[in-house]
């Protein structure tokens, strides 16, 4: 039983790391695309004097997706800003309880972001369109629930691993 649970925890940690690596790869591709779009926008506007009507919209959209997706990789690595000086002075069981409560609050908040982001995506996102791109605004709104879902997965995986005996 003990060996099985250790393997499960190893797989859960690995799943979190793999998800973060995949998300980071997607973010890197989006960053490359955003850079190309911005360079094209500048070149067409100032060199060819024929501005692209969609370049700024697309660059902003790509940046939005980079932020929401990339936040989940930060959750997995514990890189978001925290004030942990009190947590470090608590005994291990109390620190674990505070960490799990913190994760629970974060999951609750992200569930609200997911729910309302999904509502925006499926209602307003289908009505309005980007003027320059002609795409539905759903692409803008969908970044929030996608990022929230990924962060929830990372928080839950990290919480399960944190609960394991002998893990800090």
């Amino acid at each position: 039983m003990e060996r099985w649970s250790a393997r499960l925890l190893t797989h859960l940690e690995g799943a979190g790391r793999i998800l973060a690596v995949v998300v980071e790869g997607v973010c890197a591709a989006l960053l490359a695309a955003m850079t190309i779009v911005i360079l094209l926008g500048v070149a067409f506007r100032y060199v060819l004097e024929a501005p692209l009507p969609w370049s700024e919209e697309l660059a902003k959209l790509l940046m939005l997706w980079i932020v929401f997706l990339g936040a989940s990789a930060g959750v997995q690595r514990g890189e978001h800003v925290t004030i942990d000086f009190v947590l470090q002075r608590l005994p291990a069981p109390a620190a674990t309880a505070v960490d799990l409560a913190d994760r629970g609050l974060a999951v609750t908040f992200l569930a609200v972001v997911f729910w309302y982001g999904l509502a925006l995506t499926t209602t307003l996102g289908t009505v309005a369109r980007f003027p320059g791109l002609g795409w539905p605004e759903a692409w803008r709104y969908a970044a929030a629930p996608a990022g929230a879902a990924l962060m929830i997965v990372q928080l839950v995986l990290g919480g399960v691993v944190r609960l394991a005996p002998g893990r800090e």
Side-chain angles (χ1 to χ4, degrees), residues 39-63:
L39 289 173
L40 283 173
V42 169
F44 271 76
R45 178 177 299 273
Y46 296 107
V47 177
L48 301 175
E49 295 182 2
L52 300 171
W54 50 265
S55 62
E56 185 179 347
E57 287 177 354
L58 184 55
K60 287 179 181 179
L61 181 64
L62 293 171
M63 181 65 172

Side-chain angles (χ1 to χ4, degrees), residues 66-152:
I66 291 167
V67 168
F68 275 101
L69 295 179
S72 71
V75 167
Q76 190 273 330
R77 290 194 305 257
E79 291 182 344
H80 288 282
V81 176
T82 59
I83 302 172
D84 60 355
F85 65 92
V86 173
L87 198 62
Q88 292 173 350
R89 288 166 177 71
L90 292 174
T96 299
V98 169
D99 178 60
L100 292 174
D102 178 48
R103 287 175 186 277
L105 288 172
V107 166
T108 302
F109 172 77
L110 290 167
V112 170
V113 170
F114 177 82
W115 180 258
Y116 284 103
L118 201 58
L120 279 173
T121 302
T122 58
T123 56
L124 293 178
T126 59
V127 176
R129 293 193 165 284
F130 287 99
L133 291 167
W135 297 354
E137 287 278 344
W139 284 103
R140 177 191 325 261
Y141 299 125
L150 289 169
M151 286 185 269
I152 288 170

